[in-house]
Amino acid sequence: MSKADLRRLVDLTDQLNQYAYQYYVLDQPTITDAEYDQLYQELLALEAQYPDYVQADSPSHRVGMLAQSGLEKVTHETPMLSLANAFNQEDLARFVASSQAASEGPVTYVGELKIDGLSVSLRYQDGRLVQAATRGDGQIGEDITNNVRTIASVPLKLPEPLDIEVRGEIFMPKASFLALNQAREDQGLPTFANPRNSAAGSIRQLDSRITAQRKLDVFLYSGVFSPDLGLASQSQMLAQFKEWGFHINDQTRSLTGLADMWDFVEEMTSQRHDLPYDIDGIVFKVDDFDQQAQLGHTVKAPRWAIAYKFPAEEQAT
Ligand SMILES: NC(=O)c1cc2c(N)ncc(C(N)=O)c2s1
């Protein structure tokens, strides 16, 4: 392989990843689909000619492959906890009172949309995606690495050689769900009941080429990482995750207490049907990581977070 060919292969890989990031994460495409496709075909030709030189973060990994057997089990070194629920303003008031009582100094909060999908853990070593797993029972999940590689907004390589685990929610955007069900109807196949079920079915496929066709997405909102990274709060962590190229939900709010928590609940209750994805509530978290550590967690859930659940809606009959 000539140096020029190798340089071209690496340049194309980096260029195409940058274009895909602008398209899928920033929603700000900078080239046309035709231009992207032409560059992609050139890369595929070079990879076919030199298979040993295919880069770990090549966009050609996005198309998926058939798994040899069932999904492997994965043990979460740090358990993936669940959340305590709140159903009304009084429940939130209790959460605010208890979190302020047990923390030194004033407490501020972050409000984040509760995405109606399924929780996932992404592990990066030396800045490369090495494993993705479902939450499972919180201790043991399933390896879905090949399927997650096909999700366009998941970075296969980070801009820094980080060892980090990030966690979030895989979901199927409403538009993908409608298109998928329309296609299944046309093929005489049973349709999915809702985007969450179709995301769950799509991400646990043994054939990730099928996953690749399902147009899934992910929002990341927590992680397991060394204090050396110097991340002192949830809001600072989210800003840093965004800089590293992770897809972060843009409706996240800094909140001072019950009054603006409830304002956010009312705002998102009225807006939820206009969002391009399903949400089933709002997650409120104490922002400061030291205060989160003071509050700790029960066996099941952190004391520094609570999930406000929207009231069940009457299904349109
Ligand atoms: N089970 C959990 O801990 C969570 C579940 C979810 C979810 N489905 N969507 C968003 C968040 C968030 N922004 O923290 C969380 S946290």
Side-chain angles (χ1 to χ4, degrees), residues 195-207:
R196 193 208 169 285
N197 286 9
S198 53
S202 304
I203 202 62
R204 298 182 67 248
Q205 283 289 328
L206 291 182
D207 184 348

Side-chain angles (χ1 to χ4, degrees), residues 10 19 28 45 58 67 78 99 120 144 168 170 181 194 204 215-216 225 235 242 255 294-295 305 312:
V10 171
Y19 292 139
Q28 296 161 357
S58 167
T78 302
S99 53
V120 68
I144 52 170
I170 288 178
N181 265 357
N194 55 53
R204 298 182 67 248
K215 303 290 171 255
L216 295 171
F225 40 77
S235 41
K242 192 165 185 175
L255 305 162
Q294 282 168 354
L295 284 158

Side-chain angles (χ1 to χ4, degrees), residues 81-83 112-117 119 135 169 221 280 283 285:
L81 299 177
S82 54
L83 284 172
E112 303 174 7
L113 301 187
K114 191 169 182 301
I115 310 300
D116 196 3
S119 293
R135 178 179 180 283
E169 201 79 6
Y221 48 67
D280 58 354
V283 181
K285 302 172 183 177

Side-chain angles (χ1 to χ4, degrees), residues 43-310:
L43 175 64
L44 288 183
L46 278 169
E47 292 184 342
Q49 202 174 350
Y50 307 106
D52 296 348
Y53 289 86
V54 175
Q55 303 291 294
D57 60 331
S58 167
S60 60
H61 291 300
R62 301 289 191 190
V63 294
M65 57 192 230
L66 185 57
Q68 305 317 315
S69 62
L71 298 175
E72 308 282 318
K73 295 298 180 202
V74 171
T75 300
H76 297 295
E77 299 308 317
T78 302
M80 292 179 75
L81 299 177
S82 54
L83 284 172
N85 288 328
F87 297 98
N88 52 47
Q89 202 166 348
E90 292 68 38
D91 293 343
L92 289 181
R94 267 192 294 280
F95 167 68
V96 170
S98 59
S99 53
Q100 281 174 347
S103 305
E104 283 155 30
V107 179
T108 57
Y109 303 86
V110 178
E112 303 174 7
L113 301 187
K114 191 169 182 301
I115 310 300
D116 196 3
L118 61 163
S119 293
V120 68
S121 152
L122 309 180
R123 254 183 345 97
Y124 289 80
Q125 268 169 7
D126 203 24
R128 295 194 186 304
L129 178 63
V130 293
Q131 186 173 64
T134 62
R135 178 179 180 283
D137 64 4
Q139 295 277 2
I140 311 275
E142 289 175 311
D143 189 313
I144 52 170
T145 309
N146 291 331
N147 293 341
V148 165
R149 283 190 191 286
T150 72
I151 300 176
S153 67
V154 171
L156 298 177
K157 184 173 89 171
L158 303 177
E160 293 171 40
L162 295 163
D163 292 342
I164 187 171
E165 178 181 345
V166 294
R167 294 172 169 185
E169 201 79 6
I170 288 178
F171 64 96
M172 183 175 285
K174 291 176 184 172
S176 306
F177 172 67
L178 292 174
L180 172 64
N181 265 357
Q182 186 57 60
R184 288 179 70 88
E185 221 166 275
D186 296 349
Q187 294 156 22
L189 294 170
T191 53
F192 286 102
N194 55 53
R196 193 208 169 285
N197 286 9
S198 53
S202 304
I203 202 62
R204 298 182 67 248
Q205 283 289 328
L206 291 182
D207 184 348
S208 53
R209 291 170 300 186
I210 295 174
T211 309
Q213 294 157 5
R214 296 290 172 85
K215 303 290 171 255
L216 295 171
D217 201 343
V218 67
F219 284 125
L220 295 141
Y221 48 67
S222 77
V224 179
F225 40 77
S226 154
D228 302 349
L229 284 182
L231 298 174
S233 70
Q234 175 71 6
S235 41
Q236 191 189 1
M237 182 202 75
L238 290 174
Q240 180 60 75
F241 277 13
K242 192 165 185 175
E243 268 182 45
W244 283 331
F246 291 113
H247 195 200
I248 304 302
N249 188 282
D250 55 7
Q251 298 279 356
T252 300
R253 298 285 168 82
S254 290
L255 305 162
T256 57
L258 182 61
D260 49 9
M261 278 185 190
W262 197 250
D263 288 349
F264 192 36
V265 166
E266 290 181 329
E267 182 187 338
M268 295 321 298
T269 301
S270 62
Q271 270 190 32
R272 69 188 283 206
H273 296 300
D274 304 326
L275 293 170
Y277 44 82
D278 276 351
I279 60 173
D280 58 354
I282 296 177
V283 181
F284 294 105
K285 302 172 183 177
V286 167
D287 191 29
D288 182 87
F289 282 162
D290 287 340
Q291 292 180 333
Q292 289 186 6
Q294 282 168 354
L295 284 158
H297 54 79
T298 66
V299 171
K300 279 184 55 188
R303 291 195 187 91
W304 44 264
I306 196 156
Y308 169 79
K309 304 287 292 242
F310 293 130

